[in-house]
Amino acid sequence: MSRAVLSIGSNLGDRLGHLRSVVDGFGDRVLAVSSVYSTAPWGGVAQDDFLNAVVLVDDPGFGCVDWLGRGQELERAAGRIRDVRWGARTLDVDVVWCAELCDGEPVACRSADPNLTLPHPRAYSRAFVLVPWLDVAPDAVLEVDGIPHPVADLVERLDPAERAGVRRTEFALTGAVS
């Protein structure tokens, strides 16, 4: 069994439709979906604002790599092109955190694989990931350099301007349990 936190974003085309395609694409595996947030682009490339959300998923037959693979399938279906690092995209699906069941308890997975680094190496510094994550898991914990931190504490440590740049919208992703 594994459970994962997926950060999803879009700033090209039907942004809300692309986010909804992730919820629909994971179907019954979706446990919860955050509110939808509008955020400025991150990474220094001039582009339109993103819509972002976090999806909490669970499946007894999935491992961490399976979440990545399914996310990449959904990106391809949305016409994702990877030509500019941190550039505009129709859909971005990142596996931020993943846990597998061990003796009945979820244990956070760690991976240094360049294709799937867990926990996500920059999630702790990104308000557009952390703020929506708190919507679906207010008690969430994320390891940073091997040390567990409550996600709420990580949000509080961010620059106030970074936090203020993550604005809740009136949009909702259908098919979600939240």
Side-chain angles (χ1 to χ4, degrees), residues 1-169:
M1 168 250 143
S2 73
R3 179 169 289 183
V5 173
L6 309 175
S7 176
I8 61 176
S10 174
N11 74 338
L12 285 177
D14 180 3
R15 299 177 306 158
L16 189 60
H18 293 310
L19 297 185
R20 286 182 174 146
S21 75
V22 174
V23 175
D24 293 343
F26 280 103
D28 292 341
R29 296 177 180 108
V30 174
L31 296 179
V33 179
S34 74
S35 296
V36 177
Y37 292 84
S38 176
T39 61
W42 202 91
V45 176
Q47 56 192 297
D48 291 335
D49 284 354
F50 277 83
L51 289 182
N52 292 99
V54 161
V55 182
L56 180 62
V57 290
D58 186 280
D59 188 315
F62 263 45
C64 300
V65 173
D66 298 312
W67 298 119
L68 176 66
R70 181 66 180 134
Q72 289 175 339
E73 288 172 7
L74 295 168
E75 288 176 347
R76 284 190 296 276
R80 167 85 187 258
I81 298 170
R82 296 175 184 270
D83 58 349
V84 176
R85 182 178 173 102
W86 293 319
R89 59 205 78 152
T90 55
L91 182 62
D92 189 30
V93 180
D94 285 334
V95 179
V96 174
W97 176 91
C98 188
E100 294 180 344
L101 199 61
C102 183
D103 295 326
E105 293 295 321
V107 175
C109 299
R110 292 186 191 97
S111 170
D113 184 323
N115 293 316
L116 179 59
T117 305
L118 290 172
H120 191 288
R122 291 172 297 283
Y124 73 93
S125 66
R126 294 181 174 172
F128 69 86
V129 172
L130 299 176
V131 170
W133 189 356
L134 289 176
D135 282 357
V136 297
D139 296 329
V141 173
L142 178 65
E143 282 190 16
V144 179
D145 296 326
I147 300 168
H149 296 272
V151 171
D153 290 353
L154 295 172
V155 170
E156 287 302 313
R157 291 180 198 157
L158 293 174
D159 182 285
E162 174 86 8
R163 291 192 312 261
V166 179
R167 301 167 310 278
R168 188 178 297 221
T169 71

